[in-house]
Amino acid sequence: MAPTLASAQTPDPLIVERQEWTQYLGDGVNAKPYGVPSKFEKDVVRREVEWLTASRQSSVSFTPLHALDGVITPNGLCFVRHHGGEAEIDPDKHRFMINGMVDKPLVFTMEDIRRMPGRVNRVYFLECAANSGMEWRGSQLNGCQFTHGMIHNVVYTGVPLKAFLNEAGVSAKGKWVLAEGADASAMTRSIPLEKAMDDCLVAWAMNGEALRPEQGYPLRLVVPGWEGNMWIKWLRRVEVGDQPWAQREETSKYTDLLADGRSRQHTFLMDAKSVVTNPSPQSPLKSKGPNVLSGVAWSGRGAIKRVDVSLDGGKNWRTARIEGPTFPRAMARFYVDFDWNGQELMLQSRAMDDSGYVQPTKNELRKFRGTNSIYHNNGIQTWLVRPDGSAENVEVS
Amino acid sequence: MSKSAKAIAFLALAVACTGGAFAGERAGLGRPALPEELKAWDIDVRPDGQGLPDGKGSVSDGEALFQTKCSSCHGEFGEGAGRWPVLAGGKDSLTSDRPEKTIGSFWPYTSTVYDYIHRAMPFGDAQSLKPDEVYALTAYLMNLNDLVPGDFVLSRGNFPKDLPNEKNFYDDDRETTEKTFWNNDPCMSNCKDKVEVTGHAAILDVTPDDQKDNKDEKPAGAVE
């Protein structure tokens, strides 16, 4: 158990002795022109699971959810998924094209894009369709960073994609768009025109600053509530067409193979999901008595309406306190204040969204999906907390 | 000017103002894309063949190219090296515990092979292949998957649309097949008789550890 100072026999030297940070002058105001976290937070970093992928350039790193709080993910900790490494693009050399079934194919510079009317700020989660994909057959990775860390939640600044499409004039026959990146994978995804004209954004900023290079600097597509692969980074082109393009990432990948050997395609939407981030395997309980259980919930169908938490593996539930701003298709933070007397716990959380969808158990999900579908695993996670406070990823009956 | 003509003129002025300074339908930003620019960037190929360029390539030319540019990752016969994608084989494996989702066993359309090779391969030297080379590699991969004979020459004229597994794809139907997940009144107490732990992640021991080198562990499940 970690120190909890209920009473003291001798004075605490941290209080009665003068400490060096009290005595000596620290760094000046601009010692770090771009600030970085405290050196005591050096373990709060993205991590990867090297055995998952063949190369580091076509791979994924994971957000340290267990070490974060609130609802906004810091830019430097947002998980990264590349298919051809990180493109480094001079914004002056970036071009954005609208073509295909339009009245007038157009080319925009970043200067043009920033001059477009109708700029908006929107908070959205971005979750990789393969988040929790390693858990279909059973508990495998020990930590919510690895089981649930292919997600981040930031505020985007940009202009609705609709504005660019209107600028070019979409043909009445247009039904789909193809978004394409400028990176070495030239990532492409087909998106229904209806979605493109609804809430998609062409964004250049996240959390108030320019997109990070690994998130698509200088320009990315925002596809609220839909799988992260569709949020094309280094966005260079949007083509209008009358049918989907059946690109590699919407046929060979990002389709859901079911138990009967058939596959669902165009499963774009991310269903409601949640996870307890603390305690969890990377963030064990340290003290008996009052404790705060914390977690995050999100849904691609709308806003999180309610989150229930179970301490006994899903036998009994209590409704958690959702705290902080909640937006449609954005991450919500929940807490349960509880007393821990050292007993074993089986922690679960269950999200509900405003469409009435309730996050299913993993076994309920497997009834419909089998165990081969890789993507869209939004089943309820269980952490077994032992009397010593350590926690493990388990499956329960 | 007649009264009605004045009214029309006024209306036109009002529309012009709205469209100008205060953001109407079009801002007038961007410039027309030139034909050469469209040709350079509009490289996508659809299942119906839209986007396929002129050219042709044989299985045998494709085999030679594949051994030079592709086999170090994908294996000489598309069997895959390490965790790189397997491209051939896997027939009848989709309902097994270890499905092999190859071009022949899983992919729905031939066009995706052409589009992806041209767009993103070879890994680290994307968009370096000429149309004849991409046709040849596509032909070789079709041959490896027993879809065409060894003397086949692929071109736009004989480019097949569907691959064998095309009929097994269908659009997202979660809202109907999984409608049981919509429930305004989920159980809150005594929801099950007993709870037993049925699986432990610690037993597999494949979680990355900053203190430990276990990067060579290769359990089930991977992303590409």
Side-chain angles (χ1 to χ4, degrees):
Chain A
M1 295 292 124
T4 300
L5 302 174
S7 63
Q9 303 302 317
T10 55
D12 187 344
L14 289 170
I15 296 171
V16 298
E17 293 174 12
R18 190 170 54 161
Q19 302 297 317
E20 61 179 280
W21 55 85
T22 306
Q23 188 172 4
Y24 304 117
L25 297 176
D27 283 343
V29 292
N30 214 26
K32 300 174 187 113
Y34 194 107
V36 294
S38 161
K39 63 183 179 184
F40 302 106
E41 299 293 319
K42 65 178 168 43
D43 292 335
V44 182
V45 290
R46 295 182 287 225
R47 290 183 173 81
E48 60 180 336
V49 179
E50 291 201 21
W51 55 258
L52 271 178
T53 48
S55 78
R56 312 276 51 84
Q57 292 82 17
S58 182
S59 191
V60 63
S61 67
F62 298 82
T63 304
L65 290 177
H66 63 287
L68 301 177
D69 212 328
V71 294
I72 296 295
T73 314
N75 284 341
L77 295 175
C78 289
F79 87 96
V80 176
R81 173 74 165 115
H82 296 328
H83 292 76
E86 176 186 306
E88 284 198 84
I89 301 176
D90 177 343
D92 290 342
K93 295 181 178 174
H94 191 68
R95 299 290 181 268
F96 175 49
M97 180 187 285
I98 303 278
N99 74 311
M101 298 174 77
V102 294
D103 299 338
K104 185 172 60 171
L106 292 174
V107 174
F108 298 85
T109 62
M110 287 302 296
E111 167 72 2
D112 297 332
I113 291 164
R114 291 170 189 277
R115 290 169 63 209
M116 285 289 281
R119 188 183 304 184
V120 298
N121 294 297
R122 296 282 185 273
V123 180
Y124 293 119
F125 78 82
L126 183 165
E127 183 185 18
C128 176
N131 200 20
S132 315
M134 293 77 81
E135 304 286 310
W136 274 108
R137 289 168 192 282
S139 302
Q140 183 159 271
L141 290 164
N142 223 8
C144 66
Q145 180 167 17
F146 304 111
T147 56
H148 290 75
M150 289 194 228
I151 187 164
H152 55 67
N153 192 67
V154 307
V155 54
Y156 294 95
T157 303
V159 171
L161 173 58
K162 178 182 180 177
F164 295 93
L165 292 169
N166 283 343
E167 207 69 20
V170 175
S171 158
K173 291 178 183 162
K175 287 191 173 60
W176 290 79
V177 302
L178 182 76
E180 180 178 73
D183 62 317
S185 75
M187 177 57 64
T188 35
R189 284 298 299 260
S190 303
I191 301 167
L193 181 65
E194 190 181 359
K195 179 71 174 178
M197 298 295 275
D198 179 16
D199 58 1
C200 290
L201 304 178
V202 173
W204 60 82
M206 58 193 290
N207 291 339
E209 64 177 357
L211 291 171
R212 290 292 170 90
E214 67 269 31
Q215 302 298 342
Y217 179 90
L219 200 65
R220 88 170 309 163
L221 190 62
V222 171
V223 190
W226 288 17
E227 61 192 21
N229 183 252
M230 305 177 80
W231 299 46
I232 302 296
K233 301 192 282 191
W234 311 288
L235 180 69
R236 78 170 190 184
R237 193 168 68 94
V238 171
E239 179 177 352
V240 178
D242 58 1
Q243 54 181 271
W245 281 260
Q247 297 286 288
R248 190 245 198 185
E249 257 59 40
E250 53 207 25
T251 54
S252 164
K253 309 293 171 188
Y254 302 96
T255 50
D256 309 349
L257 175 59
L258 304 182
D260 65 1
R262 298 194 304 151
S263 298
R264 284 186 185 140
Q265 65 180 1
H266 302 152
T267 47
F268 303 135
L269 194 140
M270 302 306 295
D271 271 316
K273 186 170 173 179
S274 66
V275 66
V276 173
T277 55
N278 310 83
S280 65
Q282 297 160 289
S283 175
L285 279 178
K286 293 176 178 170
S287 310
K288 292 181 185 174
N291 272 288
V292 180
L293 179 151
S294 176
V296 285
W298 60 94
S299 171
R301 294 186 189 276
I304 290 296
K305 183 175 69 177
R306 189 176 115 190
V307 180
D308 299 326
V309 166
S310 173
L311 307 184
D312 58 7
K315 199 169 174 183
N316 297 289
W317 298 86
R318 67 183 81 178
T319 297
R321 181 166 58 91
I322 293 175
E323 173 52 45
T326 54
F327 301 102
R329 300 175 179 86
M331 197 183 256
R333 171 67 58 176
F334 62 86
Y335 299 111
V336 170
D337 305 314
F338 74 109
D339 275 313
W340 184 54
N341 61 15
Q343 82 274 33
E344 188 176 273
L345 303 170
M346 285 186 271
L347 302 178
Q348 297 186 336
S349 62
R350 179 176 70 188
M352 292 174 66
D353 66 24
D354 57 8
S355 81
Y357 183 96
V358 182
Q359 182 183 1
T361 67
K362 290 184 178 177
N363 283 332
E364 284 170 340
L365 209 54
R366 288 182 187 119
K367 277 184 210 162
F368 294 98
R369 313 269 185 91
T371 57
N372 283 339
S373 63
I374 300 177
Y375 306 104
H376 296 282
N377 184 349
N378 66 321
I380 290 173
Q381 174 66 43
T382 310
W383 306 125
L384 174 67
V385 180
R386 295 203 169 83
D388 66 358
S390 67
E392 189 195 347
N393 175 9
V394 298
E395 291 253 349
V396 294
S397 57
Chain B
M1 194 182 282
S2 72
K3 199 173 178 183
S4 61
K6 276 184 189 168
I8 289 165
F10 178 76
L11 190 66
L13 186 68
V15 168
C17 286
T18 313
F22 296 106
E25 278 295 293
R26 295 186 187 193
L29 291 166
R31 57 143 178 100
L34 302 177
E36 299 89 335
E37 293 170 335
L38 292 166
K39 186 167 182 284
W41 274 10
D42 188 354
I43 59 171
D44 42 85
V45 180
R46 293 198 314 201
D48 63 358
Q50 180 181 297
L52 279 173
D54 293 333
K56 64 178 190 312
S58 67
V59 171
S60 55
D61 286 351
E63 179 173 12
L65 264 173
F66 193 86
Q67 305 316 332
T68 311
K69 293 182 180 280
C70 318
S71 62
S72 61
C73 294
H74 294 296
E76 284 181 41
F77 303 101
E79 73 277 16
R83 294 195 85 76
W84 295 102
V86 179
L87 301 177
K91 201 179 171 207
D92 300 324
S93 72
L94 297 183
T95 54
S96 74
D97 284 345
R98 296 281 175 131
E100 279 204 324
K101 300 198 282 186
T102 74
I103 293 165
S105 72
F106 188 70
W107 293 33
Y109 302 111
T110 320
S111 61
T112 314
V113 184
Y114 188 102
D115 179 284
Y116 187 72
I117 293 172
H118 177 223
R119 170 180 302 285
M121 292 290 116
F123 194 61
D125 191 18
Q127 297 179 28
S128 62
L129 298 171
K130 294 177 173 58
D132 285 357
E133 295 176 307
V134 183
Y135 275 118
L137 286 167
T138 306
Y140 179 59
L141 287 167
M142 293 170 73
N143 177 255
L144 282 180
N145 281 287
D146 300 325
L147 298 167
V148 296
D151 60 356
F152 185 71
V153 179
L154 181 66
S155 67
R156 186 168 55 194
N158 64 358
F159 202 92
K161 179 173 177 284
D162 294 346
L163 290 168
N165 194 46
E166 188 277 337
K167 60 185 180 298
N168 290 318
F169 284 85
Y170 60 99
D171 281 344
D172 188 3
D173 64 351
R174 282 175 287 178
E175 290 184 13
T176 50
T177 52
E178 299 181 4
K179 63 174 183 286
T180 182
F181 295 155
W182 277 262
N183 175 8
N184 281 316
D185 191 23
C187 177
M188 293 299 284
S189 57
N190 293 314
C191 301
K192 38 185 159 179
D193 293 335
K194 57 175 182 177
V195 180
E196 286 177 351
V197 173
T198 56
H200 289 268
I203 291 171
L204 278 169
D205 193 25
V206 293
T207 307
D209 185 333
D210 293 347
Q211 317 302 322
K212 188 178 77 169
D213 178 13
N214 61 353
K215 67 184 179 187
D216 292 330
E217 303 278 355
K218 287 176 187 172
V223 296
E224 279 161 11

